[in-house]
Amino acid sequence: GDLPAGSPEGTLLGSPGPNVGYAMGLVHRVQEQMQLGEHEDAYGYYEVGDQIASKLYNAITKVDLMLKRGDVRAAQRMESDAIKLWIGAADLCKELKLFDQWTQSLDRQQKLFERYQLRDRLRQIEDDRRLIEAAPDLCGAVDRAGDCPTQRAVRREVT
């Protein structure tokens, strides 16, 4: 396959333990495939990472990988698939109060919806942005980095 000889395969690749770090390393090196236009390889690595993040209940990494998988699909002009991934990421962010990643998802969606002049969807994005702007009121005090205490608690739980 795509992995070097002696690399973990199959269920070992997604199992908690020493191979998880290796697999996540592969996922984070996928930017090179994107630059080379090897979108299917990039998507596959992001998909493996997403599965690992799900098994480890790592919501922050899962959302990042959903966004990146959407980016790959957008680069392939598979915009419907990209939107599904970005909306799924936004829904998860909304549920877990991951405001930074929620904003990133909305930014991606907005670019595509503006291109196709989908006004209803753009209004929904603006509504979500207002919720995010109200986030300090929703989650209490925000620290100097603009991080909501709820988001920090979620990050500690899932990492």
Side-chain angles (χ1 to χ4, degrees):
D2 295 326
L3 301 175
S7 297
E9 296 178 0
T11 57
L12 289 178
L13 192 61
S15 299
N19 295 321
V20 172
Y22 175 80
M24 291 305 290
L26 287 176
V27 168
H28 291 293
R29 283 188 250 146
V30 80
Q31 188 66 32
E32 186 177 314
Q33 272 86 18
M34 283 292 290
Q35 291 171 347
L36 295 173
E38 297 173 5
H39 298 119
E40 281 306 314
D41 288 346
Y43 189 85
Y45 286 131
Y46 286 143
E47 198 166 42
V48 167
D50 188 354
Q51 292 169 9
I52 293 168
S54 293
K55 285 183 181 184
L56 298 176
Y57 304 107
N58 189 326
I60 292 170
T61 300
K62 179 172 181 55
V63 168
D64 279 340
L65 293 167
M66 289 174 76
L67 294 174
K68 290 176 182 179
R69 286 172 52 213
D71 294 345
V72 172
R73 290 304 187 222
Q76 294 175 302
R77 300 194 188 282
M78 298 173 72
E79 293 156 333
S80 174
D81 291 344
I83 286 295
K84 287 176 190 172
L85 287 161
W86 293 334
I87 289 173
D91 290 345
L92 187 56
C93 289
K94 186 175 184 177
E95 179 182 336
L96 298 175
K97 297 180 176 68
L98 302 173
F99 301 110
D100 292 337
Q101 291 173 308
W102 189 3
T103 300
Q104 292 172 30
S105 176
L106 294 176
D107 291 345
R108 287 166 163 92
Q109 292 176 55
Q110 184 171 352
K111 287 179 187 174
L112 208 54
F113 294 146
E114 284 174 348
R115 185 178 327 144
Y116 293 106
Q117 300 177 355
L118 299 174
R119 289 182 185 91
D120 289 340
R121 286 298 299 153
L122 289 168
R123 276 192 287 278
Q124 289 174 338
I125 288 172
E126 288 308 312
D127 290 345
D128 282 355
R129 288 190 191 283
R130 280 190 282 282
L131 287 174
I132 293 168
E133 288 172 11
D137 297 332
L138 295 174
C139 67
V142 174
D143 67 15
R144 282 186 229 164
D147 199 11
C148 173
T150 305
Q151 188 169 354
R152 281 196 310 275
V154 169
R155 190 177 300 122
R156 277 195 301 274
E157 278 180 30
V158 297
T159 56

